């Protein structure tokens, strides 16, 4: 075990500390700094990717594991979306599913794909529900055939209400999907029209009610606050309606202004106006209050559930650093702390899929020296309670002696004074304002930790470079 050799002290505390005010929901921080802004692993040189990937593929997984399947097509581009890749055409569906099945079959021979059970599989995009019912069924059946799924594996199908329909839902459930996640964003007809949503409030509600009557798996929706034309009363009504529908899970997300999106360009031209940044925390508080009144349980800072059917396993495990197999053009994954991405180019993907991921990986990053520590911080903050012992174990696993809490204490104490958390002997718990600012806090806490411990040689660092 290595003795901790601390890095230089963090001197620019203003970059980490929160503003102290009477309204921390509005102005604790000036931005929503991303959770991956600090401590990322270094990119692997292109000439080393193939050799390193072969070693990773030949190594059995031993810890919590999930899989992600990417369907990179959209029937239209949502104004706020920064992930749009390819326009959907019906004739593209079956050949694409064929290619994903070929990648699954080819990788089934690798130690990385075999053996250790997968806790969750997420079919995301894009819009997976744009696929024909038969292709959805073929894809999910292929997951069962080629992946070591745990008996209670959560299998999520993500999508949109338009072009989905109960026939596809039944086909998905029959094939083995047990969770459906739909991007509703808002029920309000005026807000939906401004955002280019094609179904009306009445059509959306009718479809969700039909899904619930099937009673075949968890049904989860996303709502977004801060949208153009949306005030707090409109958002509160959206949340009340979602709670009244009997859904299993609900995500409440803040609108993010992403450069290059149609929404951002419309904002720049003065055509659409979104909620001011200082208002977003109060939208969040309104939504959390409605969930509390309805008796729903918060299982993360953005996700609530009505009962035990909803688990949100994929999202929680990924935040906690689970290994992640990846399939489909543009999919991203994680093996032994190494991040990787499958080529997003559709032609290349289709041409090489039968050869497996060895011919498809477009890039790799090495583990961050304190990657397990980052994962422990993210996992606790995501759930709203950071237990120091979990971070201490991660530090010990990196070969670093010494507790986390003494080093983090100045930052945590300042955040407590700013109204973002409450302190306990063995943990800290986020307040309502802290839950809203969780991503910004997580990023700063990771950067603070890297500055404190980054000077220590770690076991993870040696393994990544050895």
């Amino acid at each position: 075990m290595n003795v901790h050799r601390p890095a230089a002290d963090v001197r620019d505390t203003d970059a980490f500390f929160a503003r102290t005010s009477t309204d921390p929901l509005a102005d604790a921080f000036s931005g929503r700094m991303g959770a991956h802004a600090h401590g990322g692993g270094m990119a692997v040189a292109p000439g080393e990717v193939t050799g390193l990937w072969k070693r990773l593929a030949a190594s059995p997984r031993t810890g919590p594991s999930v899989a992600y399947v990417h369907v990179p097509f959209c029937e239209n581009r949502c104004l706020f979306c920064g992930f749009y890749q390819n326009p959907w055409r019906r004739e593209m569906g079956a050949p694409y599913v064929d290619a994903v099945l070929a990648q699954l079959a080819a990788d089934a021979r690798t130690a990385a794909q075999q053996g250790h059970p997968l806790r969750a599989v997420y079919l995301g995009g894009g819009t997976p529900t744009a696929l024909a019912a038969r292709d959805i069924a073929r894809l999910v059946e292929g997951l069962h055939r080629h992946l070591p799924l745990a008996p209670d594996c959560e299998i999520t199908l993500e999508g949109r209400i338009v072009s989905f329909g109960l026939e596809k839902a039944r086909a998905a459930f029959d094939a083995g999907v047990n969770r459906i996640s739909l991007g509703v964003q808002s029920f309000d007809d005026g807000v939906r029209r401004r955002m280019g949503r094609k179904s009306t409030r009445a059509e959306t509600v009718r479809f969700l009610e039909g899904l619930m009557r099937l009673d075949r798996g968890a049904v989860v929706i996303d709502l977004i606050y801060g949208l153009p034309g949306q005030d707090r009363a409109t958002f509160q009504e959206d949340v009340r309606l979602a709670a009244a529908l009997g859904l299993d899970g609900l995500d409440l997300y803040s609108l993010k202004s992403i450069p290059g999106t149609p929404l951002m360009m419309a904002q720049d031209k003065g055509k659409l106006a979104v909620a001011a940044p200082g208002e977003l925390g109060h939208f969040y508080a309104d939504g959390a209050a409605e969930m509390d009144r309805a008796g729903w349980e918060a299982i993360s800072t953005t996700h609530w559930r009505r009962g035990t059917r909803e688990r949100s396993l994929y999202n929680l495990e990924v935040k906690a650093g689970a290994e992640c197999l990846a399939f489909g053009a543009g999919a991203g994954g994680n093996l032994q702390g190494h991040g990787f991405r499958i080529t997003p180019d559709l032609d290349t993907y289709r041409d090489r899929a039968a050869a497996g991921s060895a011919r498809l990986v477009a890039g790799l990053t090495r583990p961050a020296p304190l990657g397990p520590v980052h994962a422990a911080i993210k996992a606790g903050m995501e759930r709203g309670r950071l237990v120091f012992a979990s971070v201490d174990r991660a530090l010990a696993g990196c070969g670093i002696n010494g507790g986390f809490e003494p080093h983090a204490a100045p930052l945590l104490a300042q955040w407590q004074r700013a109204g973002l958390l409450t302190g306990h002997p063995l943990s800290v718990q986020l307040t309502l304002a802290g839950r809203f600012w969780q991503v910004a806090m997580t990023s700063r806490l990771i950067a603070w930790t890297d500055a404190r411990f980054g000077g220590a040689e770690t076991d993870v660092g040696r393994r990544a470079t050895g």
Side-chain angles (χ1 to χ4, degrees):
M1 301 290 284
N2 295 309
V3 177
H4 165 56
R5 300 194 302 274
D9 288 341
V10 175
R11 297 178 181 179
D12 184 13
T13 56
D14 288 345
F16 299 91
F17 285 2
R19 295 190 187 92
T20 302
S21 75
T22 58
D23 190 5
L25 277 166
D27 56 12
F29 298 104
S30 59
R32 303 292 297 277
M33 180 189 281
H36 300 284
H38 295 279
M42 296 293 292
V44 174
E48 300 176 30
V49 167
T50 300
L52 177 54
W53 178 258
K54 288 180 178 179
R55 292 196 293 275
L56 293 173
S59 302
R61 291 171 294 103
T62 57
S65 300
V66 298
Y68 177 74
V69 181
H70 195 55
V71 181
F73 307 105
C74 293
E75 293 160 299
N76 66 288
R77 183 173 184 179
C78 299
L79 295 186
F80 53 82
C81 182
F83 302 102
Y84 180 83
Q85 285 182 279
N86 306 292
W88 166 250
R89 295 195 301 274
R90 188 184 303 272
E91 65 272 17
M92 302 173 77
Y96 183 76
V97 171
D98 290 341
V100 176
L101 293 174
Q103 184 192 356
L104 282 161
D107 284 0
R109 298 187 290 269
T110 66
Q113 185 162 315
Q114 297 169 355
H116 200 73
L118 300 179
R119 299 182 180 186
V121 180
Y122 196 95
L123 286 78
T127 314
T129 53
L131 296 171
R134 179 175 178 274
D135 290 325
I136 292 174
R138 288 197 304 128
L139 182 53
V140 178
E141 289 163 358
L143 300 176
H144 281 274
R145 188 163 58 250
H146 297 300
L147 296 177
L149 306 183
D152 64 344
C153 183
E154 173 192 273
I155 303 178
T156 300
L157 177 68
E158 182 186 62
R160 294 178 59 186
I161 288 169
V162 170
S163 78
F164 191 12
L166 295 182
E167 177 190 354
K168 287 186 185 180
R170 289 189 188 95
F173 286 134
D174 287 343
V177 165
N178 52 31
R179 184 175 185 267
I180 289 177
S181 178
L182 299 170
V184 171
Q185 321 313 353
S186 175
F187 289 104
D188 184 83
D189 280 327
V191 175
R192 291 180 67 79
R193 281 194 299 272
R194 290 184 189 92
M195 299 307 296
R197 311 304 280 181
K198 293 184 177 180
S199 60
T200 65
R201 170 191 170 110
E203 290 166 340
T204 301
V205 169
R206 186 161 55 248
F207 178 69
L208 291 174
E209 290 174 336
L211 269 183
M212 297 306 301
R213 282 193 296 271
L214 292 180
D215 198 21
R216 300 282 302 277
V219 178
V220 180
I221 69 168
D222 299 343
L223 295 178
I224 293 178
Y225 53 90
L227 294 168
Q230 182 189 53
D231 58 22
R232 288 172 60 184
T234 301
F235 179 63
Q236 286 174 300
E237 175 56 29
D238 280 344
V239 180
R240 281 193 291 267
L241 176 54
L245 286 171
L247 302 167
D248 299 287
L250 177 66
D251 283 295
L252 301 180
Y253 292 129
S254 172
L255 177 67
K256 294 176 176 59
S257 295
I258 302 173
T261 60
L263 178 57
M264 191 69 171
M265 290 186 284
Q267 287 178 247
D268 292 341
K269 295 176 182 178
K271 294 182 178 180
L272 289 174
V274 301
E279 298 175 5
L280 293 174
H282 293 286
F283 276 86
Y284 177 83
D286 291 339
E290 292 296 339
M291 288 285 90
D292 188 56
R293 276 191 283 271
W296 287 46
E297 175 191 5
I299 60 174
S300 81
T301 56
T302 58
H303 190 72
W304 284 258
R305 70 176 182 179
R306 183 174 60 92
T308 55
R309 178 175 250 173
E310 165 61 352
R311 297 177 293 165
S312 195
L313 282 181
Y314 176 85
N315 294 317
L316 293 173
E317 294 290 357
V318 165
K319 292 290 176 65
E323 293 195 75
C324 181
L325 303 175
F327 306 94
N334 166 45
L335 286 176
Q336 299 179 35
H338 295 77
F340 67 94
R341 190 186 185 204
I342 303 299
T343 177
D345 183 80
L346 287 174
D347 291 335
T348 302
Y349 180 76
R350 284 190 293 259
D351 291 344
R352 299 180 181 179
S357 297
R359 294 288 310 284
L360 297 171
V361 172
L364 273 166
T365 58
R366 300 189 188 278
L370 295 179
V373 181
H374 299 172
I377 291 172
K378 290 177 187 176
M381 296 290 281
E382 176 75 11
R383 291 179 179 270
R385 188 181 190 94
L386 182 62
V387 178
F388 300 141
S390 65
V391 187
D392 290 344
R393 286 192 295 271
L395 283 168
C398 292
I400 299 175
N401 293 324
F404 167 75
E405 191 275 338
H407 295 276
L411 181 58
L412 299 178
Q414 197 278 331
W415 284 351
Q416 184 168 353
R417 292 193 297 273
L420 300 178
L421 53 81
T422 57
H424 303 273
L426 303 175
S427 66
V428 290
Q429 185 163 344
L430 302 186
T431 63
L432 178 66
R435 293 173 73 87
F436 171 69
W437 288 108
Q438 180 264 125
V439 172
M441 294 168 69
T442 298
S443 181
R444 286 163 172 81
L445 187 53
I446 286 173
W448 181 279
T449 303
D450 282 348
R452 288 307 197 266
F453 294 105
E457 182 186 8
T458 68
D459 289 345
V460 170
R462 290 198 307 276
R463 289 195 297 270
T465 58

